[in-house]
Amino acid sequence: MAEGHPQRPAAALARAQQQRARLAQGDDRHHGVACRAAPEPVAVPGDAVAPVAVVAQARGGELLAQLLGVVGVECVAGALEQRVRQLFARRVVAQEAWDGHHVVVHTAALGAPGDIGGQAFEQVVGTAEPAREGVDPRAVGQRGAPGPCQLGQAGIAGREERALLVVHGPTLLLFRTPIRMNSAAGAPGGPAADDGGMLFADVARVSREVAGTSSRSRKTQLLADFFRAAEPDDAPIAIAYLAGRLPQGRLGVGWAALRDRAAPAAQPSLTVRGVDAALTAVGEVSGQGAQAGRRALLQDLFGAATAAEQEYLLGLLTGEVRQGALDAAAVEGLAAATGADPAGVRRAVMLSGALEPVAQALLADGPRALAQFRLTVGRPLFPMLAASAKSVTEALARLGPCAVEEKLDGIRVQVHREDGRVTVFTRTLDDVTERLPEVVAAAAGLDAEQFVLDGEVLALDAEGRPRPFQETAGRVGSRVDVATAAAALPVAPVFFDVLALEGRDLLDLPYAERHAALEQLVPVAQRVRMQPVAHPEDADELRLAEDFFAATLARGHEGVVVKGVDGTYAAGRRGASWIKVKPVHTLDLVVLAVEWGHGRRTGKLSNLHLGARAEDGSFVMLGKTFKGLTDALLDWQTEQLLARAVRDDGHVVTVRPELVVEVAYDGVQTSPRYPAGLTLRFARVLRYRDDKTPAEADTVETVRAAHTATR
DNA sequence: GTGGGCAAATTGC
DNA sequence: CTCGGACGGATTCGG
DNA sequence: CCGAATCCGTCCGAGGCAATTTGCCCAC
């Protein structure tokens, strides 16, 4: 496998949650770690607020008074500041002001573009002047247009309204509109690091600040400030940390190694590179006594860390950093810090398969560095993902002329070949070449020297029907004795896209042209089946598509992916031009127990234990789900289930089996864990069936029949 | 010392 | 993987 | 027709199950 390849943050977080779930019982000391740090009070000079001119008599004045009051000012700082920055970053030329029943704030003294530090808000406030009368609100236009410009809208945490900011001349206009409100989270302000030294404490602080605001643009600003102060050599590491991930990837450190920690240091002294070196050392410990050795190194590291640093380190090591900003936010922040185009930065990241090198190059050389990041055969890029639709008809309606392709239930692979060398990557860009000799052989047999193919690998039985997903996944997961595994369960690649061919980059070609290239390169036996639909509004063609969907299911596959003929390959994105359609199955199951939620679901009963009815009238647990629950439903079920509780051990609340839920699922799979030997794949709650009693719930036999039917 | 049991870490969907 | 909710910008709608 | 309301793309976090490998510990 790729040594030290950074793991995907989302995946890492999910794993961490598993750990946490296991440890949740009798150990809830970590709950606070993941949650946002309490907002720190922000010191706002009293006379900075005073000069503000509140022109409006109506809501605007009231709003600004509220916004600038002691209570709300830290919330506003984020929303306003970001807009002011945006204004100057985009060099919007402003001319005149409109006030009406809104608020006008003078911005003339902000200084030169790019010279707006963390104090922008205070400067704005401090230089406010009375607004002029008579500016026409109808003249408000879009950014870049002459005249007044709407800069954008910003939710303000803790207030049930949205600020709408318009600039005209040296004047900012603040509107408000009521909105549904998010959770209150004050944004701690504070200037960025005031020196070039990259202390680990700075990273921890920025992470905490980012976690403290729910505004995405505010997160971006915080990250941008941070990156501006970063040295290129520090950036890759710091970015990884800020994205909640360790550059080392796997470290062999779990909860056990972190249970007892050294007392925190009083003063921050750790540098980013120092922490990185220490963690690398931890990762390199192996062999006899490895655990103890790691523990000792970690003790040293934690002993040198302040309490805040320890908390952050712990979050990083356990994958529990929750700051509401991962790679996407880092990309935005990086673009803002370097003046590069955000879309360009994003594309560079997707094509190079990693954020860190892009960050380093951008900070060292500026926006022009982006040009060096292109699709490179041999280096993986993030695969394109698909949106989803409930039916083929819906997907066709959204796409127009398109093609319907089989969706195979296997492992996504990206196959590169260059100079006779074949490399195979997974969806998370792990190198699995060694584990999939069949794929290597297939790629080697194609008649081209250089290419990148996108496809799926899966095990088929003698009749060409797919084996259960679990078998394919097990095979791809095995790396110890590949030859034996391959003999026992051969797998085969099935390709559906070509991204590069003989020196040409095909990403920006429309699907139809890429597919034509695919047909030239890959024999039909190694391509997914495909049904073109040139005129989806035509009833005959629509039926053709529906029939293809049905036939695909009949062949034992998962569903279809509908692809617009004009769509380009949107690396790393859930592109709108790919839409997957899978059949939905449902069951009515009984709630046997429920678990207390974590994070934002703390205090709510969240994760339902689902049971099917057995012949003797008892209930057999089939799995759990927490998905599909709206906040309202969560509240409702908490109340209802508590009323039926028979036991609560602090983690699992056992209830009388009285409530019936309708559950959707993607399939039934065998389970080593549950008593029936069966469990549901991707179960989610559709609704509670108050019209059904547990005696009317679906039976284990029904589920078993569904299992045999779908495999 | 060696093998079995177990927990932890990863990764797939 | 799944889903719901939040954010921010774009577009639509009602007086 | 303008200004407020709504929509939409995107991101994030909550949390699921199965399978595999690796290293530690304990019993023999």
Side-chain angles (χ1 to χ4, degrees):
Chain A
M1 74 160 277
E3 293 303 325
H5 185 83
Q7 58 195 334
R8 294 275 294 163
L13 295 177
R15 308 316 164 212
Q17 259 131 52
Q18 269 178 276
Q19 306 301 338
R20 184 173 53 187
R22 276 181 218 143
L23 282 139
Q25 203 157 354
D27 180 13
D28 60 354
R29 80 203 139 100
H30 302 293
H31 289 176
V33 175
C35 301
R36 335 205 114 102
E40 294 171 356
V42 176
V44 176
D47 51 352
V49 176
V52 172
V54 178
V55 181
Q57 302 307 311
R59 300 177 297 177
E62 176 194 333
L63 172 65
L64 192 62
Q66 287 174 8
L67 295 184
L68 301 183
V70 177
V71 179
V73 70
E74 72 273 20
C75 302
V76 177
L80 263 184
E81 181 189 338
Q82 93 207 357
R83 292 304 170 208
V84 173
R85 285 163 182 267
Q86 195 174 29
L87 158 66
F88 281 88
R90 302 189 188 199
R91 295 170 193 271
V92 171
V93 178
Q95 294 158 9
E96 208 177 313
W98 168 72
D99 57 335
H101 53 279
H102 296 93
V103 177
V104 180
V105 181
H106 191 245
T107 62
L110 274 173
D115 189 28
I116 308 170
Q119 308 305 312
F121 179 62
E122 284 77 4
Q123 290 185 32
V124 172
V125 171
T127 58
E129 66 171 24
R132 279 156 288 179
E133 302 282 332
V135 175
D136 188 354
R138 290 170 293 187
V140 172
Q142 299 300 307
R143 260 194 309 279
C149 301
Q150 177 181 322
L151 288 178
Q153 305 166 19
I156 297 173
R159 304 206 174 273
E160 301 201 349
E161 54 209 6
R162 179 182 292 264
L164 198 144
L165 221 67
V166 170
V167 61
H168 200 194
T171 308
L172 287 179
L173 306 164
L174 185 63
F175 300 65
R176 80 166 187 185
T177 64
I179 54 170
R180 291 191 310 274
M181 216 47 237
N182 55 333
S183 61
D194 54 1
D195 62 58
M198 179 71 79
L199 288 175
F200 185 67
D202 291 329
V203 183
R205 178 182 50 74
V206 169
S207 172
R208 199 172 64 245
E209 287 177 356
V210 166
T213 177
S214 59
S215 159
R216 283 218 292 268
S217 44
R218 176 71 181 153
K219 290 177 199 288
T220 300
Q221 284 305 327
L222 286 164
L223 292 170
D225 287 345
F226 178 74
F227 293 148
R228 268 192 277 267
E231 295 167 27
D233 285 349
D234 283 329
I237 306 167
I239 281 192
Y241 291 162
L242 283 170
R245 152 181 87 201
L246 297 173
Q248 287 83 4
R250 56 160 65 186
L251 222 54
V253 172
W255 290 98
L258 298 167
R259 197 149 292 160
D260 306 307
R261 299 192 298 278
Q267 291 296 319
S269 60
L270 291 168
T271 63
V272 168
R273 269 171 279 191
V275 171
D276 185 54
L279 291 178
T280 300
V282 169
E284 284 169 354
V285 176
S286 67
Q288 192 85 40
Q291 200 84 0
R294 288 197 193 105
R295 249 178 243 225
L297 287 173
L298 285 169
Q299 285 285 319
D300 291 346
L301 180 58
F302 273 86
T306 63
E309 288 174 314
Q310 282 198 354
E311 188 175 294
Y312 184 55
L313 263 180
L314 188 70
L316 281 176
L317 288 167
T318 59
E320 266 204 77
V321 170
R322 294 280 190 302
Q323 57 187 21
L326 298 172
D327 284 349
V331 164
E332 293 288 321
L334 201 54
T338 57
D341 169 37
V345 178
R346 178 178 182 140
R347 185 174 167 88
V349 171
M350 294 312 170
L351 294 186
S352 62
L355 176 60
E356 289 81 353
V358 176
Q360 193 163 22
L362 265 177
L363 291 174
D365 300 330
R368 65 196 168 86
L370 289 183
Q372 67 185 275
F373 294 98
R374 290 189 304 268
L375 189 159
T376 309
V377 179
R379 190 167 64 186
L381 63 152
F382 284 106
M384 177 168 174
L385 307 174
S388 59
K390 289 187 168 53
S391 70
V392 172
T393 309
E394 180 193 336
L396 259 52
R398 269 154 63 179
L399 286 178
C402 59
V404 186
E405 289 184 355
E406 292 175 316
K407 184 179 194 306
L408 308 181
D409 195 10
I411 307 287
R412 183 89 176 259
V413 286
Q414 192 180 96
V415 182
H416 294 239
R417 172 170 162 187
E418 182 171 48
D419 296 337
R421 206 170 73 89
V422 175
T423 325
V424 186
F425 300 97
T426 64
R427 201 172 79 90
T428 49
L429 314 190
D430 262 336
D431 186 336
V432 290
T433 310
E434 298 304 318
R435 292 180 239 172
L436 295 172
E438 301 98 322
V439 178
V440 174
L446 297 180
D447 188 22
E449 283 307 308
Q450 193 209 36
F451 54 77
V452 176
L453 288 170
D454 194 357
E456 195 90 4
V457 62
L458 74 168
L460 300 169
D461 65 17
E463 291 89 49
R465 292 179 64 87
R467 305 289 308 161
F469 169 75
Q470 286 166 274
E471 293 184 20
T472 298
R475 169 60 213 284
V476 178
S478 315
R479 67 185 93 186
V480 172
D481 187 354
V482 173
T484 307
L489 187 76
V491 294
V494 186
F495 297 109
F496 51 74
D497 215 326
V498 54
L499 315 184
L501 182 60
E502 305 293 37
R504 280 194 306 144
D505 176 346
L506 309 184
L507 292 175
D508 293 323
L509 293 184
Y511 165 82
E513 290 182 38
R514 294 201 313 278
H515 197 270
L518 183 75
E519 287 179 15
Q520 290 294 311
L521 176 64
V522 180
V524 65
Q526 289 174 4
R527 297 200 304 260
V528 295
R529 288 186 175 81
M530 185 268 265
Q531 170 66 56
V533 183
H535 306 97
E537 64 285 351
D538 181 296
D540 285 344
E541 294 211 26
L542 178 62
R543 191 163 58 248
L544 218 55
E546 294 283 6
D547 289 350
F548 183 82
F549 179 53
T552 300
L553 296 180
R555 283 196 301 273
H557 296 304
E558 201 185 2
V560 295
V561 181
V562 186
K563 301 182 176 178
V565 291
D566 294 329
T568 58
Y569 192 90
R573 307 183 57 185
R574 203 164 286 287
S577 66
W578 287 11
I579 301 180
K580 62 185 168 190
V581 182
K582 294 194 278 187
V584 175
H585 312 101
T586 66
L587 286 171
D588 294 323
L589 299 174
V590 180
V591 180
L592 304 178
V594 61
E595 295 173 13
W596 289 105
H598 302 104
R600 67 184 295 274
R601 290 190 173 187
T602 301
K604 305 283 177 61
L605 289 175
S606 169
N607 197 7
L608 301 171
H609 294 199
L610 304 169
R613 193 157 51 86
E615 283 182 7
D616 61 1
S618 66
F619 298 101
V620 182
M621 184 167 172
L622 281 177
K624 310 182 201 178
T625 188
F626 54 91
K627 289 195 262 274
L629 297 165
T630 62
D631 284 4
L633 197 53
L634 214 52
D635 287 341
W636 181 87
Q637 83 174 23
T638 299
E639 186 183 322
Q640 293 294 316
L641 290 168
L642 277 181
R644 291 167 172 79
V646 296
R647 189 169 70 244
D648 179 357
D649 65 8
H651 179 221
V652 178
V653 177
T654 309
V655 300
R656 295 193 298 275
E658 295 173 356
L659 293 181
V660 178
V661 275
E662 184 178 3
V663 171
Y665 63 97
D666 279 15
V668 180
Q669 60 188 358
T670 58
S671 168
R673 180 181 314 196
Y674 291 109
L678 297 173
T679 190
L680 306 180
R681 200 169 165 199
F682 307 134
R684 62 262 186 195
V685 172
L686 293 180
R687 59 178 172 140
Y688 273 89
R689 294 292 305 255
D690 46 14
D691 58 327
K692 276 203 172 187
T693 66
E696 298 171 287
D698 281 311
T699 63
V700 180
E701 287 317 307
T702 309
V703 181
R704 205 176 297 284
H707 181 227
T708 45
T710 55
R711 55 166 297 169

